[in-house]
Every structure is written in structure tokens, then in C-alpha cells.
Amino acid sequence: MNIPLVDLKTQYQTLTAELIEAVQQVMVNANFILGQQVDDFEVDFALFCKGRQAVGLASGTDALHLGLRACGIGPGDEVITAANSFIATASAISFTGATPVFADVDPETYTIDPASIRELITDRTRAILPVHLYGQPADMDPIMEIAGEKELKVVEDACQAHGAQYKGKPVGSIGHLGAFSFYPGKNLGAFGDGGAAVTNDPQLADRLKMLRNYGQRQKYQHEFLGFNSRLDTLQAAILRVKLKHLAEWNSKRRAAASLYDQYLDGSKFRSPVIAPYSTHVFHLYVIRSQKRDELLNFLNQRGIGAGTHYPRAIPFQKAYQSLGYRPGQLPVAERACAEVLSLPLFPEITEEQIQTVCSTIQEF
């Protein structure tokens, strides 16, 4: 049995008629840039996140980058973030001219450690960028407390956590701004790149709308240098259809994770820990093994699409070698990056498929 890490074909087959109708409507109207469907999706997504406004953007990276810019982050500033995310978390900081400062993470949840944040604050620190990794929220209360004390902005990287909740509050609406990615494999995925930022601050939303559209409110009236980072109308129409199903899909992901927990119980592999404050949406189901690479190869050779997210901490990527981080500075993140393994997980995964994955792991 071949089992993919993510199965987007099955999801499409369940929504074909709805999606074709939505796309055809865009074609009929022929309004492909910031069309009505973008406005409609922004309203729907803001309601889903319980935020005041959402702004559709070209990617999750742009949601982070332009979100930081909207918050006033720029050259000479420092932004504290987690060491064990995808590089876009840090590159978004760098694109503003600011410097990413990497914090270690909690050994149970792999999300940013608030105590580590506090130790890294300097007179140049302007923001904290927590990552809701794998679909689990970071511990936001102490992060917001630190930010309040030090007058720092908080931009949430919720690119893997659509629908996750922290103490009953949807992620993305807790800090000053939340950034989401609609990369196809995400819990809410487009048919290409796409992103959005959510905020309760109308001034931040207005600034973002200008940043995404060449610095203009009115056509050809450019108040500052902006970017071309608009969510396509076609993608917005697709996302609006899929958003109606997201809560159900997240519930199915949690059910699949529970089955993994059950079938891996008693094994030598460490299953995910769900924090008591967290409603996890399991963008990824990640186990840990000291023989991660061998296990990955073993599974892949047997048709099981396991993967690694992310095998090297960001500060040790060649792109950031100039920052001078050395092995051992971020021990928890470094060890997690060396041991984590993502197992196949998508809303349509069957119990038989999960059993097959787990029995193959046990065989290893």
C-alpha cells in the first residue's frame, strides 16, 4: 500500500462540483485581481479567526514580511523567533532589514520557550514572532505578558495552524497580527500560493492593504513604496469553498492523530504532546526517533510518504551563517530537528492506512 504524506487528490474529488462552480464564476466576471471573491473571503476568514479584519496576500511569507513592516519593523531592529521553523519565518524578518534572533523551544511542544525569549531581549528588540508549529499554539499568555512589559509587537506565525486555539481563542487573533499560509498542503490550502494576515487593528489592516498593492489606496496615488502581493481572485474563490469544510477537516485530523497515538502506544517512538491550553489541528503528526533518518528511509522504501520538518535549525542554515550561531547554543531545538519525523496525515486518511504506517514502524 502506497500512502502519501498528503493526499490532495482525494480532497479535490470530494469538492469537485463546488470548486468548478466557484472558479467558473470568477471566469464569468473576469475580475482576476482583488475581485469580489477576495473581499468575501477576507470577511469569512476574519470571522473564522475571530479577528476584526483579514487581508489577502500572495503567500504566507508575504503575510509575515508585510505584517512586520506594517508593525513598523525595519533596519536596525531585532525580532525574536523560534529556531526550528521553516526558513520563511526568519527570512520575513530579514526582508524588513531587521535581524532575526533565535530562541530555544519547549522540549514537549517544540514551540518557542517564553523563558528563552526574555533572556534575548535587548534595546534593539522590537517584536516577538512565535510559531504555532505543526498545528499547535505557542504558549501565548507569557509571550503577550513579556511583550506588554517591553512594549513589543507580537506577530503570530500561524501558517501551520488554521483553526488551532489557545485557551479557546483562535490563533492569529491573539497578538497584534497573525500570518497564515495557504500553500496547497496546509490545513486550508489553495491551488497555488496564497496567504493572509488577520488583525484587530484597523490601522494595521489599512497599512497592509496598501503594502500589498504598491503603496496605494487610490489607483495611481502611491503614498509610499509598496509591493505586488495580492491574493488572486481565483485562489480566494477556491479558499472560500474549502473554508466551509475546515472545521470538519481539523476534527478528522485530530481523530487520525488519536489513532496514531493508540497504535503507537508502547513503542519506543515519542508521540506528540498536546499542551493543556491547546486545541491542536495537526497540520503535521510528528514523532521522534534517535534513528530518524534510518526510519525515514525504511518507511519510504515501503511506499510510506513520511518526511522531515525541519531537519536543520534555521540559524545553522548557510543563509544565516553570518549571524555566527554555533552548535549547542539552542540544544532543545537542535535535538528536535535531528529527531522529528512527520507521518502521513490528511483528513481523508483511513484507519487501515494508519495501521499500515504503525505496523511498518513497529517492524523497524
Side-chain angles (χ1 to χ4, degrees):
M1 180 186 295
N2 289 320
I3 304 171
L5 181 65
V6 179
D7 185 354
L8 298 179
K9 293 180 181 179
T10 299
Q11 184 183 88
Y12 171 72
Q13 290 165 1
T14 65
L15 300 177
T16 302
E18 290 180 80
L19 290 166
I20 289 175
E21 182 181 356
V23 169
Q24 285 180 334
Q25 190 61 51
V26 177
M27 300 291 191
V28 169
N29 293 335
N31 191 348
F32 300 111
I33 303 295
L34 296 180
Q36 183 61 47
Q37 287 86 346
V38 175
D39 292 339
D40 292 342
F41 173 71
E42 288 174 341
V43 171
D44 291 348
F45 193 64
L47 287 171
F48 179 83
C49 296
K50 296 185 179 178
R52 187 167 178 177
Q53 288 184 258
V55 179
L57 298 157
S59 68
T61 305
D62 279 359
L64 289 164
H65 169 211
L66 300 188
L68 288 164
R69 282 183 178 267
C71 288
I73 307 304
D77 296 338
E78 293 179 348
V79 178
I80 298 172
T81 193
N84 61 332
S85 182
F86 182 56
I87 196 169
T89 304
S91 62
I93 298 168
S94 300
F95 294 155
T96 70
T99 300
V101 176
F102 296 102
D104 213 345
V105 298
D106 181 271
E108 298 293 326
T109 64
Y110 315 135
T111 58
I112 194 166
D113 180 0
S116 182
I117 293 173
R118 193 176 287 278
E119 295 171 357
L120 296 171
I121 293 173
T122 71
D123 57 4
R124 294 174 59 193
T125 307
R126 295 291 178 269
I128 304 169
L129 205 167
V131 182
H132 305 310
L133 195 68
Y134 307 144
Q136 172 143 255
D139 192 358
M140 291 302 295
D141 278 355
I143 292 171
M144 296 304 295
E145 181 181 346
I146 294 168
E149 290 174 8
K150 303 295 183 179
E151 298 183 345
L152 307 176
K153 296 293 187 182
V154 176
V155 175
E156 300 175 64
D157 183 341
C159 290
Q160 300 184 10
H162 316 66
Q165 294 184 1
Y166 175 81
K167 297 183 178 180
K169 298 177 183 178
V171 299
S173 62
I174 301 168
H176 296 88
L177 182 143
F180 292 84
S181 166
F182 303 128
Y183 182 80
K186 298 297 172 69
N187 291 34
L188 179 63
F191 285 1
D193 279 316
V198 174
T199 183
N200 292 312
D201 185 335
Q203 291 184 328
L204 283 180
D206 182 62
R207 182 81 173 174
L208 273 168
K209 288 180 179 180
M210 296 176 71
L211 280 165
R212 76 177 176 183
N213 196 26
Y214 300 104
Q216 61 185 354
R217 282 194 187 89
Q218 184 179 348
K219 196 169 185 179
Y220 303 132
Q221 302 299 316
H222 306 277
E223 299 183 29
F224 53 82
L225 293 178
F227 299 81
N228 177 4
S229 180
R230 302 167 298 206
L231 178 64
D232 288 343
T233 306
L234 278 168
Q235 299 297 353
I238 290 163
L239 289 165
R240 196 165 182 236
V241 169
K242 297 177 92 175
L243 181 59
K244 300 173 187 176
H245 303 272
L246 181 55
E248 178 187 1
W249 290 340
N250 284 342
S251 179
K252 289 181 176 179
R253 285 176 178 271
R254 282 190 288 271
S258 181
L259 285 173
Y260 269 123
D261 288 346
Q262 175 185 330
Y263 287 118
L264 290 173
D265 185 38
S267 74
K268 63 179 68 174
F269 303 104
R270 184 176 174 185
S271 297
V273 174
I274 302 176
Y277 54 71
S278 170
T279 302
H280 203 316
V281 292
F282 287 98
H283 170 58
L284 297 170
Y285 184 93
V286 174
I287 63 172
R288 287 181 69 166
S289 170
Q290 294 182 359
K291 296 183 177 181
R292 189 269 312 281
D293 293 340
E294 294 94 325
L295 176 57
L296 174 63
N297 291 332
F298 187 84
L299 293 172
N300 288 168
Q301 289 170 4
R302 285 153 182 79
I304 295 172
T308 52
H309 302 82
Y310 302 95
R312 177 178 291 181
I314 301 172
F316 305 114
Q317 297 286 347
K318 186 176 181 180
Y320 280 114
Q321 65 182 5
S322 63
L323 294 181
Y325 283 83
R326 295 289 181 265
Q329 281 186 252
L330 300 156
V332 181
E334 291 172 51
R335 183 177 176 186
C337 287
E339 295 180 357
V340 294
L341 179 70
S342 304
L343 301 182
L345 185 65
F346 41 91
E348 301 81 11
I349 195 168
T350 66
E351 184 168 357
E352 181 186 6
Q353 288 175 313
I354 291 171
Q355 283 180 311
T356 299
V357 174
C358 294
S359 63
T360 308
I361 290 173
Q362 299 285 15
E363 180 185 345
F364 175 82

